[in-house]
């Protein structure tokens, strides 16, 4: 007698998880995170607020798939989640990633601010995890490493300095701190980081004329 579908999915996922190390899975996950984030950031720069509509549709599809995949197997999608997803997450991070970018585009009016916030989030957050999983200087209270913090801060600083000068370095530090304490606050950084950074950048754009 054939096994129920949920049991097959569970067995399959466990086998895939055992076959790959945590470091390899995180590397795969963050590479996808960086690539998709960069593509969306430059799409915002090119298409502007029009991108809200496809992102909204993507969020709806993502939420549906999140619940559907708990009991069903879909080729390619289930495989990617098994290879790159975290244990028992079921694609939650990807859904929050899309929701965070959607809210950022809605609440941040300035296109440049939205662009830079998404770019910082994509590259900074991705590099923080890639470097952090192999880091040795771990702060147990926050569940993060100093190496990951520095990877975020340096990459974000490089990105923001080109347009915001020294203020970009300050914003990069604030952004790195938000990412660093995100586990302790119990709020997923995929959801809050691009929104907070975008609002800070927009406030600066609206109140100052120092930008290059």
């Amino acid at each position: 007698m054939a096994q129920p579908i949920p049991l097959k999915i569970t067995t399959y996922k466990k086998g895939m998880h055992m076959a790959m190390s945590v470091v390899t899975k995180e590397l795969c996950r963050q590479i996808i995170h960086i690539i998709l984030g960069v593509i969306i950031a430059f799409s915002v720069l090119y298409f502007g607020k029009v991108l809200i509509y496809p992102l909204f549709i993507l969020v709806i599809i993502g939420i549906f798939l999140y619940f559907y995949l708990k009991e069903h197997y879909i080729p390619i999608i289930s495989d990617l989640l098994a290879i790159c997803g975290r244990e028992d997450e079921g694609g939650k991070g990807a859904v929050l990633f899309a929701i965070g970018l959607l809210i950022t585009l809605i609440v941040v009016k300035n296109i440049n601010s939205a662009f830079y916030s998404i770019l910082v989030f994509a590259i900074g957050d991705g590099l923080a995890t890639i470097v952090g999983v192999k880091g040795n200087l771990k702060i147990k209270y926050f569940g993060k490493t100093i190496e990951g913090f520095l990877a975020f801060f340096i990459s974000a600083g490089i990105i923001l300095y080109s347009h915001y000068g020294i203020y970009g370095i300050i914003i990069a530090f604030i952004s790195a701190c938000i990412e660093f304490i995100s586990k302790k606050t119990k709020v997923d950084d995929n959801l809050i980081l691009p929104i907070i950074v975008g609002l800070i950048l927009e406030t600066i754009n609206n109140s100052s004329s120092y930008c290059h």
Side-chain angles (χ1 to χ4, degrees), residues 85-156:
R86 289 171 182 160
E87 192 74 38
D88 300 323
E89 188 184 71
K92 179 183 176 182
V95 175
L96 292 177
F97 176 88
I99 292 175
L101 297 188
L102 175 62
I103 297 175
T104 300
L105 278 181
I106 293 173
V107 301
V108 179
K109 307 303 180 184
N110 184 278
I111 293 299
N112 278 335
S113 298
F115 165 73
Y116 278 106
S117 66
I118 294 172
L119 197 62
V120 163
F121 165 61
I123 297 176
D125 189 49
L127 290 179
T129 302
I130 290 173
V131 174
V133 291
K134 289 189 175 184
N136 297 315
L137 303 175
K138 187 171 184 177
I139 308 299
K140 292 183 179 180
Y141 181 77
F142 292 110
K144 301 279 186 173
T145 65
I146 298 298
E147 293 93 335
F149 173 84
L150 290 175
F152 191 117
F153 174 55
I154 293 170
S155 60

Side-chain angles (χ1 to χ4, degrees), residues 56-77:
F56 177 76
I57 295 172
L58 188 63
V59 166
I60 298 300
I61 294 173
I63 293 173
F64 167 76
L65 288 175
Y66 172 72
F67 290 103
Y68 184 81
L69 289 171
K70 287 178 179 293
E71 301 293 336
H72 301 83
Y73 170 80
I74 299 178
I76 300 177
I77 296 177

Side-chain angles (χ1 to χ4, degrees), residues 13-63:
K13 284 184 177 180
K14 283 184 178 179
M16 290 297 292
H17 279 294
M18 290 175 64
M20 300 184 67
S21 69
V22 173
V23 174
T24 303
K25 287 171 67 65
E26 282 298 332
L27 179 61
C28 174
R29 176 189 177 92
Q30 296 308 319
I31 287 174
I32 293 175
H33 174 98
I34 292 171
I35 292 173
L36 287 179
V38 170
I39 289 173
I40 292 173
F42 280 94
S43 296
V44 168
L45 203 59
Y46 186 80
F47 296 107
K49 294 288 184 176
V50 175
L51 206 64
I52 288 176
Y53 302 105
L55 266 179
F56 177 76
I57 295 172
L58 188 63
V59 166
I60 298 300
I61 294 173
I63 293 173

